[in-house]
Amino acid sequence: MLYKNRIRSQAEYEAARLASIENPEAFWAEVASNLHWQKPWDKVLDWSFDPYEVKWFSGGKLNISENCLDRHLADRGDKTAIIFEPNDPKDLARRITYRELYFEVCKFANVLKRNGVRKGDRVCLYMPMIPALAVATLACARIGAIHSVVFAGFSANSMADRINDAACSVVITADGMSRGPKQIPLKRVVDEALDNCSTVNRVIVYNHLNWMPEMVSGRDVWWHEELQHVDSECPAEPMDAEDMLFILYTSGSTGKPKGVVHTCGGYATYVDYSFRNVFQIEENDIYWCTADIGWITGHSYLLYGPLMSGISSVMFEGIPTYPDPGRFWSVIDKHGVTVFYTAPTAIRSLMAAGIDHVLAFNLHSLRVLGSVGEPINEEAWHWYYLHVGKERCPVVDTWWQTETGGIMISAMAGVTASKPAHAGQPLPGIQPVLLNQEGQEIEGNDQEGYLAVKFPWPSMIRTTYGDHERCYQTYFSAYKNYYFTGDGARRDENGLYRIIGRVDDVINVSGHRFGTAEIENAINQNKHVIESAVVGYPHDIKGQGIYAFVICDKMPDNATQLREDIYETVSSEIGRIAKPDKIQFVTGLPKTRSGKIMRRILRKVAENELGSLGDTSTLLDPLIVDEIVAGKL
Ligand code: PRX
C-alpha cells in the first residue's frame, strides 16, 4: 500500500510526467492518496504567482505525525524506526521501534500541552542530533504546534533573532552536545539568547550529558521530570492541509535570514512521494541521511520522509572524521545501510583522507547513493560511485532548496537517466524552465539560463513568516509568474539539468547558505571594522569558501590577532559555520561613483583570475584595485 505510486521505469516516468502536465490536479490527487487523511480535500489546487498564493488540498485534514507513526503500528509496530548511532563509537547504538517512538512522541506531546503549548504556537528546538530531537519535532507536529528547528551550530544571537521573528513561546534544548572531540554547552547558549527574547516563558531541557546546568526557576523544566506527569495517549490534532507545519530559517541575498513556511498537507504529500521515488525505497531498507535535522534535508529526508515510508532510518550524532575519517564507512558496515544520502563536502573531505579508510569496511549492503546541497564535481562523483558504491549503486544528485521542501530535479535511482555532476530530469509534477535575462523561457536543449519553475508543486514555500510581501519580492517578482530559484543551470543535449550555482549574493559553504550581506553585517560588528565586502571563491573541500575584504580603523600591526578577533565576532553573531576562510585587510573597496561595491572585481581577485578584472576606469578610485591585487591572499 505505501509503495504504490512508485515509478519503476523510464517509460513510466515519461508517462507520469506527461500526465502531471496534462492534468496536474488528477496527478497530485493520486499521489496524495498514498497518505492517511482524516478528511478528504475538497479541492486539489488554487493558485496564483502574482500575487502569490497557493493552496493545496483545501478542506483536507491530516496529521503528519499520524502518517509517520500511528498508521504503521499494526504492521510495523516492532520494526525499527530509528537507529541511533552516537558520537563516540564506544557508546552503544540504540534502536527505537515504531511503537516505542509512537509512545515517546505521544508522551512528549502531552508534556508540551502541560507546558501551555497550543495549536499554532511556535516552538524553537535547539538540540543535538539525538532521538529526543526527532521526538520533540514529531510531538510539535502531533499537537499542531509550529516547530522552528535552529541548527545547534548557530550562535545565541542567531537563535535570538529566530525566536523573536517567530515569537516562540517555548524552547526545547539539551544540557550540551558532543560533536567529534568537542562538547558544546547548548543550555548556556540558550540562556544567553533568552536575555534578548521576551516571548519565551518555558525552556524544556533534555538531560543528555549529565551536566546539570543551572535552571532558571519558573522558566526551565527538565524533560525527564515532566514525563513523570503525563500519560501516553495523545490523539493527533486534525490539521488543515494549509495549516503551518514548520518554519525553517534560511539565508538570502539580504542581511536577515527569512523564516520559510511549510504547510501540512502539501509538504507531507511531496516529501513522501519524492522520497519513495528518488531513492526507490523498499520495505527493508536501512536508510541513512547524514544531514542534521537543523537543515531542510534533515526535516524532509531524515525525519519525515523515511518515517512516512515506514522504513528504518539512521540518526548519527557525530561527524564524518571522528574518531577518524573511516567513521561513515564503519557505520554503513555496522548497520547494513542500504541507501546513503550525504553532501559533496563530506565526500570531498573523506576523499582527501585517502582510500584506505573506505577499504577497511564492508560496504556491500549499499544499494543507492545520494548527494545533496551543492554541485558535486565530477572527481567527487566518480570517487563516490567507484569506491563507495563499487560501480554497483546508482548515484542520485538531488537538486532542491529549503523553499522547495523536497527534491525537485534528480534521477530516480537506477530507473531514470543519470550523468555525473548532473541532477538530471525533474520529478513528474515539477515544471522547471530556463529563463534569459529578459525573463523569457529558453526553449530546447543544450542551453543555459536562470532556473525557475512555472507551475506550483505541493511542498513549495507558502510565505516568509510574518512578511508575505518579502516572499513575493524574493521569489516571484524578478520574473513575473515564475518561482525564481536563485540558481543558474544548464540543460544538456538530452534535457538533463546541471546546476551551475547561485546567481545572487548567496554563498553556499559546505552546502550551507549564507548571504554576503549577512556575513558583512556580522564582520562589521567588530569594533575595529569600518566596512567589509564578502565574496565566495572555489574551495577544494567546502565547494565555496568565504573571502572577506575588510577596512579597519587603521591597518593592523598584528593582522593575525585581528583576524582571530573577527572570527570571534562572526562566531558570536552567526555561528562557527560562517567563519571567513580568508580575511584581507584593505584601505578601500572598488566602488562606483555612486558608491556601489563592484563585487565582480572582488570575486575575480578571490578566484585568482587577475587577468580578467574588466574595465576598472569607471571606479571612484581605480588605484585601489592594484592595492587589493597586490595584497591578495
Ligand atoms: O544552489 C543550490 C544548492 O543549494 C541551494 C539550496 O540550499 P538550501 O536551501 O540550504 O538547501 C540545501 C539542501 C536541499 C540551491 O539553491 N543545491 C542544493 N542541491 C544541489 C545544489 N546545487 C547543485 N546540485 C545540487 N544537487
Side-chain angles (χ1 to χ4, degrees):
M1 162 69 181
L2 290 182
Y3 303 104
K4 77 175 186 186
N5 289 332
R6 208 179 94 184
I7 291 158
R8 289 170 185 274
S9 67
Q10 183 79 37
E12 275 183 30
Y13 165 81
E14 303 294 351
R17 191 169 164 191
L18 213 64
S20 76
I21 294 170
E22 277 172 3
N23 191 344
E25 297 205 22
F27 175 81
W28 288 115
E30 190 186 330
V31 171
S33 68
N34 198 57
L35 296 179
H36 170 70
W37 292 79
Q38 295 169 346
K39 174 178 174 287
W41 55 86
D42 304 320
K43 186 147 195 321
V44 174
L45 173 65
D46 274 310
W47 72 288
S48 148
F49 280 179
D50 194 17
Y52 176 52
E53 191 175 13
V54 293
K55 284 199 185 111
W56 282 94
F57 310 114
S58 286
K61 287 198 184 284
L62 83 171
N63 188 298
I64 197 168
S65 93
E66 198 173 21
N67 277 284
C68 288
L69 301 168
D70 310 42
R71 74 172 166 154
H72 299 312
L73 294 181
D75 298 337
R76 301 187 175 94
D78 296 323
K79 182 175 175 179
T80 300
I82 293 179
I83 302 171
F84 172 62
E85 176 63 31
N87 179 59
D88 188 335
K90 292 199 283 299
D91 292 340
L92 280 184
R94 198 179 142 204
R95 288 172 171 270
I96 303 165
T97 65
Y98 273 92
R99 184 166 296 108
E100 287 164 342
L101 186 62
Y102 165 80
F103 282 121
E104 286 200 37
V105 169
C106 288
K107 279 191 278 181
F108 193 68
N110 286 332
V111 167
L112 290 175
K113 284 188 187 166
R114 190 181 128 78
N115 282 279
V117 181
R118 301 282 170 263
K119 181 175 176 177
D121 289 350
R122 277 80 56 217
V123 175
C124 172
L125 283 70
Y126 188 72
M127 296 189 74
M129 273 290 287
I130 55 176
L133 172 54
V135 169
T137 312
L138 290 163
C140 286
R142 192 157 189 92
I143 64 168
I146 299 162
H147 56 77
S148 166
V149 184
V150 175
F151 173 62
F154 280 116
S155 67
N157 283 332
S158 290
M159 194 197 327
D161 286 348
R162 286 157 171 78
I163 288 173
N164 290 333
D165 188 74
C168 295
S169 55
V170 170
V171 176
I172 306 171
T173 190
D175 47 352
M177 76 171 190
S178 305
R179 259 186 90 67
K182 287 193 221 137
Q183 294 196 312
I184 298 149
L186 293 183
K187 170 67 167 59
R188 223 163 62 204
V189 184
V190 169
D191 289 340
E192 198 187 323
L194 293 192
D195 283 344
N196 298 311
C197 303
S198 60
T199 54
V200 174
N201 50 45
R202 183 67 79 236
V203 178
I204 304 175
V205 187
Y206 183 84
N207 177 22
H208 180 44
L209 299 176
N210 263 324
W211 279 359
M212 296 300 138
E214 215 171 288
M215 300 289 273
V216 175
S217 152
R219 189 196 72 182
D220 302 352
V221 293
W222 284 106
W223 173 304
H224 58 273
E225 286 178 4
E226 288 298 299
L227 283 180
Q228 310 293 318
H229 307 290
V230 295
D231 64 33
S232 53
E233 252 177 60
C234 178
E237 182 74 29
M239 301 296 287
D240 278 339
E242 282 298 334
D243 279 340
M244 279 189 205
L245 174 63
F246 66 84
I247 308 171
L248 186 60
Y249 285 83
T250 190
S251 299
S253 38
T254 55
K256 190 170 161 269
K258 3 177 215 308
V260 171
V261 169
H262 285 290
T263 55
C264 296
Y267 176 80
T269 299
Y270 193 77
V271 167
D272 174 58
Y273 156 78
S274 52
F275 179 67
R276 282 180 287 109
N277 279 292
V278 168
F279 299 105
Q280 291 289 300
I281 290 300
E282 306 277 356
E283 178 73 50
N284 291 325
D285 272 326
I286 308 285
Y287 165 90
W288 182 18
C289 164
T290 67
D292 192 289
I293 292 184
W295 308 110
I296 191 68
T297 308
H299 280 59
S300 301
Y301 299 116
L302 188 152
L303 190 67
Y304 288 123
L307 294 180
M308 281 191 282
S309 278
I311 59 157
S312 305
S313 178
V314 175
M315 185 172 186
F316 176 46
E317 185 185 14
I319 58 170
T321 47
Y322 178 80
D324 60 55
R327 186 74 163 118
F328 269 7
W329 322 126
S330 82
V331 174
I332 292 173
D333 186 347
K334 176 174 172 187
H335 296 298
V337 170
T338 58
V339 180
F340 180 61
Y341 190 31
T342 196
T345 295
I347 299 169
R348 286 190 295 262
S349 78
L350 298 178
M351 184 168 114
I355 188 67
D356 289 350
H357 290 288
V358 189
L359 296 178
F361 297 97
N362 182 346
L363 305 182
H364 283 97
S365 57
L366 285 174
R367 187 173 67 71
V368 174
L369 299 175
S371 170
V372 60
E374 34 168 336
I376 178 165
N377 49 312
E378 294 212 15
E379 197 190 352
W381 193 100
H382 283 292
W383 187 87
Y384 197 30
Y385 181 68
L386 183 65
H387 296 296
V388 181
K390 319 287 180 198
E391 295 179 283
R392 286 184 303 106
C393 306
V395 174
V396 289
D397 176 1
T398 63
W399 174 84
W400 57 297
Q401 309 178 298
T402 306
E403 295 86 342
T404 69
I407 296 167
M408 302 283 281
I409 303 181
S410 168
M412 294 182 180
V415 171
T416 57
S418 109
K419 180 175 169 185
H422 286 65
Q425 290 176 287
L427 265 65
I430 304 302
Q431 301 187 32
V433 292
L434 295 178
L435 301 178
N436 64 18
Q437 298 269 11
E438 287 73 46
Q440 291 148 341
E441 281 184 37
I442 303 171
E443 304 286 339
N445 289 339
D446 207 2
Q447 299 283 357
E448 206 170 297
Y450 298 126
L451 183 61
V453 187
K454 71 172 179 191
F455 196 83
W457 65 101
S459 63
M460 69 189 299
I461 179 174
R462 291 300 190 274
T463 191
T464 46
Y465 192 81
D467 190 352
H468 193 62
E469 177 61 17
R470 188 169 179 208
C471 176
Y472 172 77
Q473 287 300 337
T474 311
Y475 305 105
F476 299 95
S477 71
Y479 303 105
K480 286 271 182 278
N481 289 311
Y482 294 96
Y483 164 82
F484 177 48
T485 65
D487 281 322
R490 197 185 146 66
R491 197 161 50 218
D492 79 357
E493 55 292 352
N494 299 313
L496 303 191
Y497 285 84
R498 174 182 199 143
I499 310 302
I500 297 164
R502 302 290 304 195
V503 293
D504 53 9
D505 286 328
V506 167
I507 310 181
N508 192 334
V509 187
S510 303
H512 303 150
R513 269 161 73 171
F514 297 102
T516 51
E518 186 186 2
I519 302 174
E520 288 160 8
N521 290 347
I523 294 175
N524 297 351
Q525 295 304 310
N526 186 286
K527 63 177 187 294
H528 295 292
V529 173
I530 291 176
E531 193 180 0
S532 60
V534 161
V535 295
Y537 72 97
H539 187 289
D540 283 351
I541 304 284
K542 300 178 177 184
Q544 277 192 295
I546 300 172
Y547 196 126
F549 298 87
V550 178
I551 307 176
C552 290
D553 41 11
K554 62 180 175 50
M555 280 308 247
D557 302 330
N558 185 344
T560 312
Q561 180 56 48
L562 187 54
R563 277 196 190 101
E564 287 299 323
D565 236 48
I566 293 175
Y567 293 151
E568 237 346 277
T569 312
V570 174
S571 292
S572 113
E573 289 296 319
I574 305 178
R576 300 176 302 280
I577 45 177
K579 267 172 39 175
D581 297 275
K582 294 184 180 178
I583 297 178
Q584 179 180 347
F585 295 108
V586 294
T587 60
L589 292 166
K591 287 188 179 172
T592 59
R593 290 199 174 85
S594 60
K596 195 168 161 293
I597 297 174
M598 296 278 283
R599 285 172 194 280
R600 180 179 50 77
I601 295 177
L602 295 176
R603 237 174 273 147
K604 293 279 181 205
V605 173
E607 285 166 6
N608 211 8
E609 288 189 17
L610 305 177
S612 55
L613 293 180
D615 181 13
T616 56
S617 63
T618 55
L619 293 178
L620 193 61
D621 174 13
L623 291 181
I624 198 67
V625 178
D626 299 336
E627 179 205 304
I628 292 175
V629 168
K632 189 196 156 316
L633 297 173

